[in-house]
Amino acid sequence: PSRAFHGNNRLLTSQITSYYESINQYKKELPEYFNFASDVLDEWARLEKDGRKPANPAFWWVNDEGEEVKWTFEELGCLSRKAANVLSEACGLQRGDRVVAVLPRVPEWWLLNVACMRAGIVFMPGTSQLTAKDISYRLQASKAKCFITNDTLAPAVESVLPGSQFLKSKLIVGQGSRAGWLNFKELL
């Protein structure tokens, strides 16, 4: 097999070069505004609904215990619209506002990511290993107006709130409630 490949390297090289040149010369008109959530996700949902695309999961998450969350393109679109409404209405965010999200890789992480794309909100993910000092720096440097986290990391955020002049809302992803925090699952 390697002889056949090496023996045809001129043909392969010319094919690659030709393909590359065709891509470079292709002048596709770019839209003035592009939104992955509405331009791609919603289009795939429409194609699925019309029967022109097979129904496949848009999102499939499995945790260590074997629990699954599986969303179709239509379900992900609907949930991301609801999540975008939570961010814009309950949290008071507008296009261009920044959100710091420090969550483990739970389904809500991806849902909020798509919701931010849909609403034009800047999604800034952070690792759950951030310290209070790290969180404080990110809040000040980014001028984030919302912080999204879970029950475990909420105390670290609360410890730096006095120094955070831009933060307007705090959103918690979890089952319980916490004073001064909006609960994402309840609002969704």
Side-chain angles (χ1 to χ4, degrees):
S2 64
R3 280 188 192 164
F5 176 76
H6 290 293
N8 293 325
N9 64 354
R10 284 188 195 173
L11 177 61
L12 184 61
T13 303
S14 67
Q15 287 172 336
I16 291 172
T17 303
S18 172
Y19 179 68
Y20 177 75
E21 287 171 357
S22 70
I23 290 172
N24 273 344
Q25 293 171 5
Y26 184 63
K27 304 230 186 310
K28 181 166 175 58
E29 209 172 298
L30 298 175
E32 186 176 352
Y33 299 102
F34 174 79
N35 186 304
F36 177 81
S38 58
D39 295 334
V40 176
L41 179 67
D42 291 350
E43 177 64 16
W44 287 354
R46 191 181 61 73
L47 292 172
E48 261 186 12
K49 191 174 185 177
D50 294 347
R52 296 186 338 197
K53 182 180 181 316
N56 288 315
F59 178 82
W60 192 348
W61 175 88
V62 182
N63 69 7
D64 293 338
E65 288 80 42
E67 296 174 276
E68 288 185 359
V69 173
K70 200 184 286 189
W71 295 323
T72 65
F73 285 96
E74 189 173 359
E75 289 170 327
L76 181 56
C78 179
L79 287 169
S80 67
R81 281 188 286 281
K82 288 181 179 181
N85 286 338
V86 167
L87 294 172
S88 60
E89 294 170 10
C91 296
L93 301 174
Q94 299 175 7
R95 180 175 299 280
D97 285 344
R98 297 168 189 95
V99 170
V100 175
V102 179
L103 291 167
R105 296 306 183 247
V106 292
E108 292 83 4
W109 188 93
W110 281 276
L111 180 58
L112 286 159
N113 195 330
V114 175
C116 284
M117 286 181 213
R118 187 175 292 284
I121 296 167
V122 180
F123 183 81
M124 299 180 303
T127 176
S128 54
Q129 297 173 332
L130 294 176
T131 65
K133 183 179 176 182
D134 299 326
I135 291 168
S136 177
Y137 172 77
R138 281 164 176 76
L139 284 172
Q140 294 312 313
S142 69
K143 299 178 181 172
K145 291 188 178 177
C146 179
F147 200 97
I148 305 170
T149 194
N150 61 8
D151 297 326
T152 307
L153 294 165
V157 176
E158 290 170 341
S159 72
V160 299
L161 285 180
S164 177
Q165 64 195 53
F166 304 102
L167 195 65
K168 303 287 183 224
S169 58
K170 303 178 304 281
L171 194 61
I172 198 154
V173 174
Q175 297 300 333
S177 61
R178 188 172 192 91
W181 290 76
L182 299 169
N183 185 291
F184 177 69
K185 289 184 179 187
E186 289 173 8
L187 292 169
L188 193 64

